Amino acid sequence: STRATYIASVRAVAVRCLGEVEDRATRCWPLLSARAMAWAAPRVDTRPAVAAEAFEAAVRDRTAPRAVRMALGFAWDTVSRCSDIVDEARGHGTSARGPVLLRQMQVRPDPGGGFAVELVTRTKTSRGRAVRIVAHTRRGSPATHPRRMGSARVLAKWLGDRRAAGADEEEPLWRKSSGEAVVTEDIVALLQRHTHERVSRHSIRIGSASAAVAAGLSVAALATLGGWQSQEVCRQYVRQALGGHV
């Protein structure tokens, strides 16, 4: 996370200033770790959830670029950060990022029936490891959002049409008709057009997670669907109908 990266940077600078090897066994490391973690204590996100109806209106908004609308739908269906689906970390331990490429998304048969659209990428929290973000077509599965936007079917056709037309696999996956790659700000701006709530980069994940639980998905299943490492962290993204956390 950004917080963890900042703390690691502070420790690294402090260690170098003290002339010690950057090792957890050194005498300064435990003290620096404790002080940094206490100073940067995690804050619970209190933003309200944007209504599912606003997302649905945004995905149907034909005045917006098709690639932006599809990216929003895919982020909703997979309970993903929009930054994780449009950008990829270009190496472990670096802040360099670049657009996700066409070759990174494929259509796969789903063992449970139907098919799935799978994006293989490296997110800012995956520590250089490839992760799979998957949207399914089958209903009633814990791997499927109970209020899904149907992004898997739409994307499968869009990918098929682009590849049939000879698209370069190294071009941006989320590519506007102008040739420009979709960025996180495009997705945030589209959603903002359809709600009075203040929209941020986290709004897509908060809104999607809250709607999924409200529609009957368990927090345990949501944690798996959204790729959270623990149910406790997952709960911080879920808002009840009248505000607060589940």
Side-chain angles (χ1 to χ4, degrees):
S1 67
T2 303
R3 172 173 162 265
T5 302
Y6 178 74
I7 290 172
S9 299
V10 170
R11 288 192 301 214
V13 171
V15 166
R16 291 192 181 95
C17 289
L18 291 172
E20 297 196 10
V21 177
E22 190 171 352
D23 190 325
R24 294 178 190 274
T26 62
R27 61 184 172 82
C28 68
W29 189 275
L31 177 61
L32 288 168
S33 298
R35 295 280 185 174
M37 293 299 286
W39 174 78
R43 297 181 176 86
V44 175
D45 195 316
T46 59
R47 279 181 287 255
V50 175
E53 291 75 15
F55 285 89
E56 291 167 349
V59 169
R60 294 194 302 265
D61 185 352
R62 293 187 177 274
T63 66
R66 187 181 183 190
V68 178
R69 292 187 285 121
M70 287 191 292
L72 176 59
F74 183 70
W76 169 277
D77 284 353
T78 58
V79 200
S80 298
R81 301 181 193 88
C82 47
S83 59
D84 285 346
I85 67 166
V86 299
D87 296 325
E88 181 182 40
R90 290 305 193 215
H92 180 43
T94 176
S95 60
R97 301 180 68 80
V100 167
L101 306 177
L102 177 60
R103 62 174 167 77
Q104 293 175 246
M105 180 173 276
Q106 301 292 333
V107 181
R108 310 288 189 201
D110 190 329
F115 61 87
V117 173
E118 178 183 79
L119 174 64
V120 180
T121 186
R122 289 173 174 79
T123 68
K124 67 177 184 180
T125 58
S126 67
R127 300 180 181 275
R129 294 179 291 103
V131 297
R132 287 172 168 77
I133 302 174
V134 187
H136 298 265
T137 58
R138 57 192 166 102
R139 292 181 177 274
S141 165
T144 305
H145 197 298
R147 288 196 64 170
R148 73 184 191 278
M149 301 284 181
S151 63
R153 292 189 184 281
V154 175
L155 281 168
K157 184 178 187 310
W158 187 56
L159 293 170
D161 290 345
R162 286 177 66 183
R163 286 177 169 133
D168 185 348
E169 292 290 328
E170 298 300 312
E171 71 183 28
L173 168 62
W174 311 106
R175 182 177 180 272
K176 302 178 193 175
S177 58
S178 63
E180 297 177 311
V182 172
V183 295
T184 299
E185 289 74 16
D186 293 326
I187 303 173
V188 171
L190 172 59
L191 181 58
Q192 187 66 78
R193 286 162 57 178
H194 296 274
T195 179
H196 295 299
E197 297 286 355
R198 184 176 65 84
V199 176
S200 73
R201 292 174 176 230
H202 289 276
S203 296
I204 286 86
R205 211 174 196 200
I206 290 170
S208 178
S210 301
V213 171
L217 193 69
S218 70
V219 173
L222 175 65
T224 300
L225 175 61
W228 279 284
Q229 294 183 351
S230 73
Q231 293 183 39
E232 188 59 35
V233 175
C234 176
R235 282 191 183 92
Q236 295 184 13
Y237 282 79
V238 180
R239 305 290 183 269
Q240 294 174 333
L242 299 178
H245 302 282
V246 172

